[in-house]
């Protein structure tokens, strides 16, 4: 039962405009190089948010100090010529006397619960504002009290302490997905997003248009609980079931899907066919498959028996393994998307410069004169390992200069393998996101460089999606039926999200509601789960909720998910499992012992799905809601193995002997 209400101040209770704010911005606009009031407003708030984000602990700046810093930047960057003290005074007046929204007074008057304001603004200014407006909150918690601003959870933790309430006894209302929703969720508090204009969306988060609407939900105790992100910090395995799974796609999602349709997947598959002669010539190991890069789908009945006996999985139906771990050339699922994007870029350049026509055999692209042409260009990518391998090896084969930006968690043997192909490897102390950011920046400085963006690339996504069409052919060849009475469950390890997202997108387009896709992430790096469960997608990192992002599953050691993929997955994905590093090694040994198949630890994450499907109450409810309980004996389960074939024997031995 709710016992208190937490509420944001600026943008929720008071307007972000008002006469003082408008006068301040108008003067800055007229006396600077900014070309419009709209640009001035955006520029001002961008600077304020930048300083707030960088302000915590010993580096904390008060709101007054932030305004001073902002004015200094304005003077330097946009040549602002103004009386800074007068501008600052207008800011202070805005904090105190900005008009309240019409529903604010009613909310305070009619709410039967104590109301606590959580704000980045200074305490004296908010107190004066409350006096001016005749409002009487039970308490005011501001950033200066904890030397941090929202979304830092310290503000919310202090509010809980001041209110004397438990986390499940309060609700926080705010207008910012970034500051309010993220901050509340990180503290395990139920958020309500106030969206007065109807333009914001956070999946799984209650959204209202007015405080009056919020008041009705609070008084009726009708607020639905959001996923408690603090559960992710316990170190325990869990599952999140996507509440949006199976719903009808919104117009916005349909518009996004229009950009990526099965016609695009068909086009990608045709392009790979055109490149088959080139691939066959450069990589003799693809000769038997006539230049096609594809993996086997194999039954693993002994592994199914092992997980039922050892872990009590109670998995009925049939368990299969999709061996993308053994894909030719790069030995991982990244051989699909990474190689496809390199080939797509290669075709674009070759057609533009007249090296080939669509009617020619692409085998000629391996000729020396064409390789010399491509050597003028550079391919760059950020990677924890496998994507770098696929792009590095194929790019080197085409003739490109290649630079792979590798994060601190990348394995040494992967770096050495890349170097052996003539690839330049740049190492970073930061995580995956840091390597990507640095690589993207470096690539932008070179007009002949092409950056492969695993976070946002539609080409990568389509390369992965082709797998769904090929899987359909493989299932038919093995006389495996997939329909309403014969459900298909697919479990895919997930890092930033590109590979599993592309595969899941393709599968849902091919099999519709007959396929149920689940991702699996490490306990310490569940970035896609955090992004989708909060609705914040790439606006939240696992570090925002107190996780390290460090895991033995190096390919999955990603702190921030792809927002592009997360939004695409909202109506498509069944849910996300998390798995401990210890279990990755257990599953590795189980598979090797029962089926004599080696996978790297990150690929073994796929088995967490089959192991836990019938053990969590949430997944049991999923099966019930989707009318699957009586169909599980006819179900097919596919664990999608994402990598491992290129792992050196010495490292394999190390993995086999790792016990956590």
């Amino acid at each position: 039962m709710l016992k208190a209400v937490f509420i944001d101040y600026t943008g929720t209770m008071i307007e972000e405009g008002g006469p003082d704010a408008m006068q301040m911005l108008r003067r800055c606009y007229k006396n600077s190089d900014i070309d419009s009031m709209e640009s001035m407003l955006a520029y001002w708030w961008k600077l304020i948010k930048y300083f707030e984000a960088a302000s915590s602990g010993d580096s904390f700046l008060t709101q007054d100090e932030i305004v001073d810093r902002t004015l200094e930047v304005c003077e330097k960057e946009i040549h602002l010529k103004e009386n800074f003290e007068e501008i600052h005074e207008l800011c202070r007046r805005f904090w105190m006397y900005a008009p309240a929204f019409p529903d604010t007074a009613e909310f305070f008057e009619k709410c039967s619960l104590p109301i606590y304001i959580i704000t980045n603004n200074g305490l004296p200014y908010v107190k004066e504002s409350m006096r001016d407006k005749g409002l009487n909150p039970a308490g005011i918690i501001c950033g200066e009290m904890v030397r941090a601003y929202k979304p830092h959870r310290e503000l919310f933790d202090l509010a809980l302490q001041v209110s004397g309430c438990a986390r499940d006894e309060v609700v926080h209302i705010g207008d910012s997905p970034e500051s309010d929703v993220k901050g509340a969720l990180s503290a395990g508090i139920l958020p309500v997003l106030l969206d007065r204009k109807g333009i914001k969306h956070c999946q799984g988060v209650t959204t209202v248009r007015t405080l009056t609407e919020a008041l009705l939900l609070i008084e009726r105790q009708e607020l639905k609980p959001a996923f408690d992100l603090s559960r992710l910090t316990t170190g325990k395995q869990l599952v999140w079931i996507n509440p949006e799974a199976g719903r009808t796609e919104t117009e916005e999602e349909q518009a996004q899907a229009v950009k990526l349709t099965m016609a695009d997947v068909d086009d990608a598959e045709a392009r790979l066919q055109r490149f088959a002669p080139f691939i066959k010539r450069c990589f003799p190991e693809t000769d038997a498959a006539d230049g096609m890069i594809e993996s086997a789908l194999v039954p693993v009945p002994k592994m199914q028996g092992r997980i039922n006996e050892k872990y009590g999985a109670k998995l009925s139906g049939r368990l299969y393994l999709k061996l993308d771990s053994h894909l030719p050339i790069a030995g991982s699922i990244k051989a699909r998307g990474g190689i496809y994007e390199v080939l797509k870029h290669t075709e674009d350049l070759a057609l533009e410069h007249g090296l080939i026509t669509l009617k020619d055999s692409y085998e000629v692209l391996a000729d020396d004169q064409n390789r010399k042409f491509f050597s003028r260009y550079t391919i760059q990518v950020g990677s924890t390992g496998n994507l770098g391998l696929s792009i590095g090896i194929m790019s080197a084969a085409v003739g490109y200069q290649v630079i792979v930006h590798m994060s601190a968690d990348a394995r040494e043997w992967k770096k050495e393998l890349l170097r052996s192909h003539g690839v330049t490897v740049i190492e970073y102390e930061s995580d995956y996101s840091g390597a990507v950011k640095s690589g993207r920046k470096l690539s932008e400085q070179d007009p002949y460089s092409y950056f492969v963006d695993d976070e946002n690339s539609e080409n990568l996504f389509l390369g992965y999606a082709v797998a769904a069409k090929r899987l359909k052919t493989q299932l038919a060849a093995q006389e495996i039926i997939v329909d309403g009475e014969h459900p298909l469950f697919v479990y895919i390890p997930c890092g930033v999200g590109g590979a599993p997202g592309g595969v899941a997108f393709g599968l849902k387009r091919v099999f519709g509601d007959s396929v149920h896709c689940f991702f699996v992430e490490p306990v310490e790096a569940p970035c896609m789960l955090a992004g989708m469960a909060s609705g914040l997608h790439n606006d939240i990192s696992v570090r925002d909720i107190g996780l390290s992002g460090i895991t033995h599953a190096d390919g999955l050691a990603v702190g921030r998910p792809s927002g592009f993929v997360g939004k695409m997955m909202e109506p498509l994905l069944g849910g996300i499992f998390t798995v401990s590093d210890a279990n990755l090694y257990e599953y590795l040994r189980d598979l090797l012992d029962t089926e004599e198949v080696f996978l790297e630890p990150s690929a073994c994450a796929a088995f967490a799905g089959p192991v836990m499907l019938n053990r969590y109450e949430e997944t049991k409810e999923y099966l019930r809601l989707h009318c699957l309980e009586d169909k599980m004996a006819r179900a097919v389960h596919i664990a999608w193995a994402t990598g491992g074939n290129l792992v050196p024997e010495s490292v394999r031995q190390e993995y086999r002997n790792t016990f956590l």
Side-chain angles (χ1 to χ4, degrees):
M1 176 178 289
L2 295 178
K3 294 183 179 179
V5 175
F6 296 170
I7 190 169
D8 170 55
Y9 178 60
T10 305
T12 300
M13 291 172 53
I14 69 164
E15 297 179 13
E16 291 182 309
D20 295 306
M22 289 301 100
Q23 183 182 351
M24 176 197 73
L25 291 169
R26 192 175 298 110
R27 285 175 60 169
C28 291
Y29 152 56
K30 288 184 176 180
N31 296 293
S32 72
D33 296 340
I34 290 287
D35 59 3
S36 69
M37 272 288 286
E38 291 76 12
S39 298
M40 187 67 238
L41 176 64
Y43 179 73
W44 181 270
W45 284 113
K46 177 183 177 181
L47 290 176
I48 295 292
K49 294 301 180 185
Y50 167 79
F51 284 118
E52 286 183 345
S55 180
S56 64
D58 293 338
S59 302
F60 181 78
L61 298 173
T62 67
Q63 288 285 291
D64 285 295
E65 290 170 332
I66 285 177
V67 170
D68 289 337
R69 293 284 184 91
T70 298
L71 289 171
E72 289 171 5
V73 173
C74 287
E75 181 180 33
K76 180 178 180 180
E77 292 189 349
I78 62 173
H79 307 113
L80 175 64
K81 293 179 175 59
E82 255 293 354
N83 184 315
F84 284 5
E85 182 51 44
E86 290 182 6
I87 296 296
H88 198 144
E89 181 58 28
L90 287 170
C91 281
R92 296 188 185 101
R93 290 188 56 80
F94 160 65
W95 295 331
M96 294 184 288
Y97 304 120
F101 286 104
D103 52 9
T104 298
E106 178 192 28
F107 184 84
F108 271 74
E109 177 185 346
K110 295 184 177 180
C111 185
S112 62
L113 302 176
I115 301 172
Y116 295 84
I117 298 173
I118 301 182
T119 176
N120 287 348
N121 296 112
L123 183 61
Y125 304 118
V126 182
K127 278 187 174 181
E128 171 58 19
S129 177
M130 295 299 96
R131 184 205 62 77
D132 176 68
K133 297 169 179 60
L135 302 176
N136 296 293
I140 301 171
I141 294 86
C142 65
E144 293 176 14
M145 295 176 178
V146 295
R147 299 185 65 78
Y149 294 115
K150 291 184 293 183
H152 285 276
R153 64 177 291 171
E154 288 89 342
L155 278 84
F156 298 90
D157 288 338
L158 179 58
L160 290 171
Q161 181 181 337
V162 171
S163 67
C165 295
R167 302 180 193 281
D168 60 355
E169 294 175 334
V170 299
V171 61
H172 176 70
I173 305 170
D175 70 308
S176 170
E178 171 68 19
S179 296
D180 295 303
V181 173
K182 182 197 287 189
L185 287 171
S186 68
I189 292 171
L190 178 66
V192 173
L193 178 63
L194 178 62
D195 180 14
R196 294 185 182 275
K197 296 182 180 180
I199 58 175
K200 303 170 185 175
H201 173 64
C202 280
Q203 176 184 337
V205 175
T206 299
T207 303
V208 296
R209 296 292 296 273
T210 65
L211 288 177
T212 303
E213 185 182 349
L215 180 63
L216 290 173
L217 295 176
I218 290 168
E219 294 300 320
R220 295 173 183 172
Q221 299 279 324
E222 291 180 352
L223 289 165
K224 60 181 181 180
F227 181 82
D228 182 357
L229 290 186
S230 66
R231 290 180 58 198
L232 297 177
T233 66
T234 64
K236 297 179 180 178
Q237 296 185 156
L238 52 79
V239 68
W240 169 74
I241 297 299
N242 179 13
E244 307 292 324
R247 66 163 169 78
T248 303
E249 293 173 275
T250 65
E251 291 184 6
E252 180 182 354
E253 289 162 344
Q254 290 173 351
Q256 176 68 43
V258 167
K259 298 179 184 178
L260 297 177
T261 66
M262 280 307 296
D264 295 303
V265 180
D266 292 340
D267 179 63
E269 186 177 36
R271 183 168 291 104
L272 289 170
Q273 288 289 350
R274 291 196 293 273
F275 269 99
F278 169 85
I279 295 171
K280 184 177 178 179
R281 176 175 171 181
C282 293
F283 300 96
E285 63 267 36
T286 67
D287 186 69
D290 205 24
M292 185 172 71
I293 302 171
E294 193 47 71
S295 70
L297 176 70
V298 298
V300 284
K302 294 178 181 177
M303 182 63 173
Q304 183 172 357
R306 172 65 62 86
I307 66 173
N308 282 338
E309 177 183 352
K310 183 175 178 179
Y311 306 104
K314 299 180 180 179
L315 188 73
S316 55
R318 291 173 287 171
L319 179 62
Y320 285 76
L321 188 62
K322 180 63 172 153
L323 287 169
D324 273 13
S325 52
H326 291 62
L327 278 170
I329 303 175
S332 81
I333 191 173
K334 300 296 186 177
R336 296 186 182 278
I339 287 176
Y340 173 74
E341 176 138 2
V342 171
L343 296 181
K344 171 70 166 60
H345 181 58
T346 299
E347 183 183 66
D348 290 343
L349 286 174
L351 292 173
E352 178 185 354
H353 293 275
L355 303 185
I356 54 168
T357 69
L358 291 176
K359 296 181 180 180
D360 293 332
S361 170
Y362 281 23
E363 182 181 0
V364 300
L365 293 176
D367 292 348
D368 289 342
Q369 66 269 26
N370 289 326
R371 285 180 52 80
K372 184 177 180 180
F373 167 81
F374 289 116
S375 69
R376 297 159 46 193
Y377 296 87
T378 299
I379 301 285
Q380 302 196 47
V381 65
S383 175
T384 58
N386 285 342
L387 181 63
L389 284 174
S390 67
I391 288 174
I393 293 172
M394 181 54 75
S395 296
V398 175
Y400 293 113
Q401 305 298 313
V402 193
I403 301 175
V404 178
H405 303 265
M406 304 197 83
S407 52
D409 37 48
R411 299 285 297 192
E412 191 61 36
W413 68 265
K414 294 182 180 180
K415 300 172 189 176
E416 290 305 316
L417 181 57
L418 280 168
R419 292 185 178 108
S420 72
H421 283 268
V423 174
T424 299
V425 176
I426 300 179
E427 302 180 53
Y428 296 86
E429 292 299 323
S430 59
D431 64 1
Y432 168 80
S433 296
V436 170
K437 183 178 179 180
S438 297
R440 187 185 290 119
K441 183 177 181 180
L442 186 62
S443 183
E444 289 171 352
Q445 297 171 3
D446 181 358
Y448 288 91
S449 179
Y450 180 84
F451 186 75
V452 179
D453 190 345
D454 196 19
E455 296 176 345
N456 301 295
S457 172
E458 292 185 1
N459 288 326
L460 276 176
F461 197 80
L462 289 170
Y464 298 126
V466 170
K469 292 190 66 177
R470 294 181 176 176
L471 179 66
K472 181 180 180 181
T473 301
Q474 289 179 320
L475 291 170
Q478 298 188 40
E479 299 182 345
I480 297 172
I481 299 171
V482 178
D483 59 23
E485 295 300 313
H486 303 80
L488 174 63
F489 291 80
V490 180
Y491 314 92
I492 319 174
C494 179
V496 73
V503 171
F505 172 82
L507 290 172
K508 293 298 286 188
R509 289 293 182 263
V510 170
F511 297 108
D513 292 339
S514 298
V515 66
H516 303 269
C517 299
F518 290 86
F519 294 168
V520 187
E521 298 185 286
V523 163
E524 279 293 327
C527 67
M528 186 60 69
L529 195 164
M532 291 191 68
S534 67
L536 295 169
H537 298 295
N538 59 322
D539 284 331
I540 190 169
S541 163
V542 297
R543 287 169 180 78
D544 293 332
I545 58 175
L547 292 173
S548 68
I550 299 172
T551 170
H552 285 238
D554 57 302
L556 311 181
V558 179
R560 191 179 301 275
S562 164
F564 160 65
V565 173
K567 292 170 186 175
M568 289 282 285
M569 291 297 101
E570 283 186 352
L572 305 179
L573 189 66
I576 302 176
F577 295 88
T578 66
V579 60
S580 69
D581 283 356
N583 277 340
L584 296 179
Y585 291 107
E586 289 299 322
Y587 300 152
L588 183 154
R589 285 184 285 271
D590 290 332
L591 184 65
L592 197 57
D593 184 42
T594 58
E595 305 287 352
E596 298 183 349
V597 174
F598 173 84
L599 302 180
E600 63 185 1
S602 58
C604 294
F607 288 107
V611 167
M612 302 304 296
L613 182 67
N614 294 309
R615 296 178 59 186
Y616 289 123
E617 291 302 318
E618 296 95 326
T619 44
K620 291 177 183 178
E621 179 67 7
Y622 177 92
L623 298 178
R624 186 188 69 78
L625 288 176
H626 288 80
C627 302
L628 294 167
E629 292 172 304
D630 62 342
K631 302 169 184 175
M632 297 307 290
R634 300 186 295 277
V636 166
H637 303 267
I638 297 177
W640 208 288
T642 50
N645 195 43
L646 295 185
V647 177
E649 180 55 38
S650 61
V651 179
R652 295 187 184 203
Q653 187 65 30
E654 174 191 333
Y655 288 156
R656 287 194 291 267
N657 293 323
T658 298
F659 294 85
L660 300 176

